[in-house]
Amino acid sequence: MTTIKDVAKYAKVSVATVSRVLNQKGYVSKEAEQAVKTAIETLNYKPNAVARTLYHKTSGMIGLLVPDIANPFFPELARAIEDVALKKGYTVVLCNTDNELKKEQHYVHALQQKYVDGLILATGTGTYEHYETLDLPVVALDRFVSANIPTVVSENKNGAKAATEHLIEQGCAFIAHLRGPKGLNPADERYEGFKEVVEANGIAHIIVETGFQIEQAEEAVRALLEKHPTIDGIFTSSDVAAAGAMKAAHTLKRSIPEDLQIVGFDGILFGNMLVPSLTTVQQPIYEMGELAIQLLVQLIEKRSLQSYWHELPTTLTIRGTTKGGGA
Amino acid sequence: MTTIKDVAKYAKVSVATVSRVLNQKGYVSKEAEQAVKTAIETLNYKPNAVARTLYHKTSGMIGLLVPDIANPFFPELARAIEDVALKKGYTVVLCNTDNELKKEQHYVHALQQKYVDGLILATGTGTYEHYETLDLPVVALDRFVSANIPTVVSENKNGAKAATEHLIEQGCAFIAHLRGPKGLNPADERYEGFKEVVEANGIAHIIVETGFQIEQAEEAVRALLEKHPTIDGIFTSSDVAAAGAMKAAHTLKRSIPEDLQIVGFDGILFGNMLVPSLTTVQQPIYEMGELAIQLLVQLIEKRSLQSYWHELPTTLTIRGTTKGGGA
DNA sequence: CTGAAAGCGCTTACAG
DNA sequence: CTGAAAGCGCTTACAG
């Protein structure tokens, strides 16, 4: 690798001068500038980012912590973040935590030691509370961590209410809710929204908790439908769980949406690939990612934020698994 | 941030001694060691990874270049890579290239300047040929770049042959192949495999090219089925395209697998979420990712490789979209 | 306008 | 066994 010294030697100037033309700051004569530019060109010199980082204490990298990139909600989020990062000159380090405290801590330490400029937390065990004392810009995405940390979420509760109301409007009289893990923010809020609406309308309902694996959801729904054959509506806390519900319904020869209506939550791409395509509460996934990194960059650049709480609207997308929609 | 100097001062030794206990190399007395350890503990000192990188010219980071992490094949791959990286003490930088030469070049430069220890290329325009002269360990994944670069792929051609043979065995007489972009290695090989089998068996066939968007595939298959209503089998170059084919079939009221049988390629998770679930050529996605990073780490650690060519077996997973399987 | 020097935080020969 | 010093590649006051 050619270094700034090589360039200086070739251009017959000092390294300070080379540095000045590199950073376009400070005075430098036309002749010196030209000589340096020629030297850079002919030696194919690229400044060493690590040395710069050591001096500036800023690396141009941000850490993205997700539970599991293989969970289809997160790739879309990651893509949005990476797109904006590219434009703004940042680079994204991907970390899968599996919601395990140990992995989370490990990554936070590793990233800090590398001088990352900031962190986007799309994960959180809820137990690792050191983010505020980290002295590092942090944005929480799809999760609430602390009031001092800018947060980007979608309208989980409202979305859940809309989904539940839709099922009721379409004639469901006994609705099951497949809720996500307790203690997980979005799952709790979706549950709240569901409960509020069924209770307000005096609708029979039942709640079952599942994780993010399709098999769990499928099994849960199969058991549920066998035990309660009169269930005619299901609202799931994720689209993946909805797909599991659809598989279970298919196995039990319950036709969708005639016998059983299903509404998912997330609006990930594959919902539209299902047959019938999935009615779901669409989160503005890409926009959430975009906003999160924009806020993070503002924080990094020490610009002040107008708001620390950003709740983006969800929209009910009616498709083939409920009666209001098409195929 | 506390530095090695602070620790040295607190422990009343030189920074050299602190460094020695940090790295557990060189002689250091029990007393000095103890003093340093206490100092590290009480000051909560973490060594600065950037300074180390500057000296050692090795960062503990690897770059992962994929076309688009939102394309469901890549998150599974990325997850495998990240899992192994975590175990081996590396960190993964995620780069989406969209198969654009400009983005690819940008990332390669940016990563090099950050002293990444190696690159995994799961993308490639085929035009950027500088990887061999990069002086950086590189592994090609799901793509052939050069004979000098260790390569991990799956048996694309054999998989395609098995898929096509399966369709013929199940009675298909007029088979369409939705091939991926020309010039893209895996797509070309799958096409070759298909062609060989249909030609050897004298089966009527037709080829259409599509990209990786479900909408393209759906539209292509709709047009195809309208023009050629006697098509009774489709082999697609990806599972996403197969989902598009299923949607088109559904729209045209062609029942699967009775009227129309479909085989995909990839074996991504969501194939199993479809109804009927998708018969597909399963690539060992996780294993491919694992192997790629293991090879890369071997390269980084200057251990020699037995082989530069790793072709992992694919398996035909017969499910609900062809007649041999279940639902 | 320009260069010598100190410093970012670490590591490792080199003397002792 | 231990410390002073040089060096990794850059940047920026400070003199001139």
Side-chain angles (χ1 to χ4, degrees):
Chain A
M1 280 252 118
T2 75
T3 72
I4 198 169
K5 267 191 189 169
D6 304 321
V7 176
K9 194 173 293 172
Y10 189 96
K12 297 195 168 56
V13 297
S14 74
V15 296
T17 300
V18 177
S19 180
R20 286 190 194 100
V21 351
L22 244 31
N23 299 293
Q24 310 193 59
K25 60 166 61 168
Y27 297 94
V28 41
S29 66
K30 285 277 165 256
E31 300 80 60
E33 184 176 352
Q34 200 39 251
V36 169
K37 283 188 169 166
T38 311
I40 289 175
E41 193 71 26
T42 62
L43 298 177
N44 188 230
Y45 167 72
K46 308 275 177 226
N48 180 321
V50 176
R52 285 180 160 175
T53 295
L54 185 58
Y55 184 89
H56 282 125
K57 300 188 187 326
T58 160
S59 64
M61 299 193 299
I62 65 152
L64 171 62
L65 276 69
V66 298
D68 180 8
I69 193 71
N71 175 334
F73 177 68
F74 296 104
E76 292 179 49
L77 221 44
R79 178 66 216 242
I81 289 167
E82 220 267 303
D83 280 354
V84 176
L86 176 63
K87 270 184 222 140
K88 307 241 179 194
Y90 290 87
T91 253
V92 176
V93 178
L94 177 68
C95 307
N96 293 107
T97 68
D98 290 317
N99 284 324
E100 286 174 23
L101 180 59
K102 249 181 73 182
K103 288 192 184 177
E104 194 175 331
Q105 283 177 317
H106 167 86
Y107 281 121
V108 171
H109 284 152
L111 293 171
Q112 252 197 133
Q113 290 181 53
K114 289 185 199 298
Y115 278 151
V116 295
D117 295 338
L119 251 37
I120 294 182
L121 296 175
T123 180
T125 56
T127 48
Y128 184 56
E129 299 296 349
H130 303 307
Y131 291 111
E132 300 172 50
T133 61
L134 220 51
D135 193 28
L136 189 66
V138 171
V139 170
L141 177 53
D142 188 43
R143 226 138 292 203
F144 175 79
V145 178
S146 138
N148 304 316
I149 293 178
T151 303
V152 176
V153 294
S154 68
E155 290 183 328
N156 287 305
K157 188 164 175 183
N158 278 344
K161 286 166 83 167
T164 313
E165 280 160 3
H166 175 61
L167 286 170
I168 295 173
E169 279 163 18
Q170 298 305 321
C172 294
F174 185 3
I175 308 181
H177 175 44
L178 250 63
R179 61 156 299 155
K182 267 177 197 133
L184 192 67
N185 234 274
D188 287 344
E189 288 174 15
R190 292 168 200 176
Y191 162 74
E192 293 293 341
F194 171 78
K195 218 179 53 173
E196 235 172 65
V197 172
V198 284
E199 288 182 354
N201 287 272
I203 298 283
H205 59 277
I206 182 168
I207 315 276
V208 179
E209 181 173 335
T210 60
F212 296 106
Q213 307 298 321
I214 182 166
E215 292 80 9
Q216 293 172 39
E218 182 179 358
E219 183 48 37
V221 171
R222 213 176 44 71
L224 202 59
L225 290 177
E226 278 172 348
K227 198 164 171 192
H228 302 285
T230 56
I231 286 175
D232 54 4
I234 301 181
F235 167 51
T236 63
S237 202
S238 72
D239 286 348
V240 171
M246 287 173 74
K247 289 201 76 172
H250 188 255
T251 305
L252 297 177
K253 310 253 187 263
R254 302 286 301 263
S255 63
I256 301 171
E258 291 77 11
D259 302 346
L260 181 67
Q261 301 186 65
I262 298 177
V263 181
F265 203 113
D266 278 347
I268 57 181
L269 297 169
F270 96 108
N272 198 30
M273 302 186 191
L274 300 171
V275 177
S277 57
L278 182 65
T279 294
T280 191
V281 179
Q282 174 78 49
Q283 299 192 67
I285 307 181
Y286 196 91
E287 286 74 17
M288 290 166 71
E290 270 183 327
L291 180 56
I293 177 136
Q294 279 161 359
L295 292 173
L296 185 64
V297 170
Q298 283 187 34
L299 236 43
I300 292 171
E301 294 175 352
K302 310 269 186 219
R303 287 184 281 139
S304 67
L305 268 41
Q306 304 107 302
S307 168
Y308 272 49
W309 181 257
H310 298 264
E311 193 166 349
L312 272 49
T314 51
T315 49
L316 182 66
T317 300
I318 300 173
R319 292 192 289 222
T321 55
T322 55
K323 287 182 185 161
Chain B
M1 280 252 118
T2 76
T3 72
I4 198 170
K5 268 191 186 171
D6 304 321
V7 176
K9 193 173 291 173
Y10 189 97
K12 296 195 169 55
V13 297
S14 72
V15 296
T17 300
V18 177
S19 180
R20 285 192 193 97
V21 350
L22 244 30
N23 299 292
Q24 310 192 56
K25 59 166 63 169
Y27 297 94
V28 43
S29 65
K30 285 274 166 264
E31 302 80 60
E33 184 175 351
Q34 200 39 252
V36 169
K37 283 189 169 166
T38 312
I40 288 174
E41 194 70 28
T42 61
L43 299 177
N44 188 230
Y45 167 71
K46 308 276 176 224
N48 180 320
V50 177
R52 284 181 159 173
T53 295
L54 185 59
Y55 185 89
H56 281 125
K57 301 188 188 322
T58 160
S59 64
M61 300 195 297
I62 65 151
L64 171 61
L65 275 69
V66 298
D68 180 8
I69 192 71
N71 175 333
F73 177 68
F74 296 103
E76 291 180 49
L77 221 44
R79 179 66 215 242
I81 289 166
E82 220 268 302
D83 280 355
V84 176
L86 175 64
K87 270 184 223 140
K88 307 244 178 191
Y90 290 87
T91 253
V92 176
V93 178
L94 176 68
C95 308
N96 294 108
T97 68
D98 290 317
N99 284 322
E100 286 172 24
L101 180 57
K102 250 182 73 182
K103 288 192 184 176
E104 195 174 331
Q105 283 178 315
H106 167 86
Y107 281 121
V108 171
H109 284 152
L111 294 171
Q112 253 199 129
Q113 291 183 51
K114 291 184 198 299
Y115 278 152
V116 295
D117 295 339
L119 252 37
I120 293 182
L121 295 176
T123 180
T125 56
T127 48
Y128 185 56
E129 299 296 352
H130 304 306
Y131 291 110
E132 300 171 49
T133 61
L134 221 49
D135 193 29
L136 190 66
V138 171
V139 170
L141 177 52
D142 186 43
R143 224 138 294 201
F144 175 77
V145 178
S146 139
N148 305 316
I149 294 179
T151 303
V152 176
V153 294
S154 69
E155 290 183 328
N156 287 305
K157 187 165 174 183
N158 278 343
K161 286 165 83 168
T164 313
E165 279 160 4
H166 175 60
L167 285 170
I168 294 173
E169 278 164 18
Q170 297 305 321
C172 293
F174 184 3
I175 307 180
H177 176 42
L178 249 63
R179 61 156 299 156
K182 267 178 197 129
L184 193 67
N185 234 274
D188 287 343
E189 288 173 16
R190 291 168 199 176
Y191 162 74
E192 293 293 340
F194 170 78
K195 217 177 56 172
E196 235 173 64
V197 172
V198 284
E199 288 181 355
N201 287 272
I203 297 284
H205 59 278
I206 182 168
I207 316 277
V208 178
E209 181 174 335
T210 60
F212 296 107
Q213 306 298 322
I214 182 166
E215 291 80 10
Q216 293 172 39
E218 183 179 358
E219 182 48 36
V221 171
R222 211 174 46 70
L224 202 58
L225 290 177
E226 278 173 347
K227 196 164 171 191
H228 302 286
T230 56
I231 287 174
D232 54 4
I234 301 181
F235 169 50
T236 62
S237 200
S238 73
D239 286 348
V240 171
M246 287 173 72
K247 290 201 75 174
H250 189 256
T251 305
L252 298 177
K253 311 253 186 259
R254 303 285 303 263
S255 63
I256 302 171
E258 293 76 12
D259 303 344
L260 181 67
Q261 302 187 64
I262 298 177
V263 181
F265 203 114
D266 279 346
I268 57 181
L269 297 169
F270 96 108
N272 199 30
M273 302 185 190
L274 299 172
V275 177
S277 58
L278 182 65
T279 293
T280 191
V281 180
Q282 175 79 49
Q283 299 192 69
I285 306 181
Y286 197 91
E287 286 74 15
M288 290 167 71
E290 269 183 328
L291 181 55
I293 178 139
Q294 280 162 359
L295 292 173
L296 186 65
V297 170
Q298 283 188 34
L299 236 42
I300 291 170
E301 293 174 353
K302 309 269 185 218
R303 289 185 281 141
S304 66
L305 268 39
Q306 305 107 301
S307 168
Y308 271 49
W309 181 257
H310 297 265
E311 192 166 350
L312 272 49
T314 50
T315 51
L316 182 66
T317 301
I318 299 172
R319 291 193 288 221
T321 54
T322 55
K323 288 182 184 161

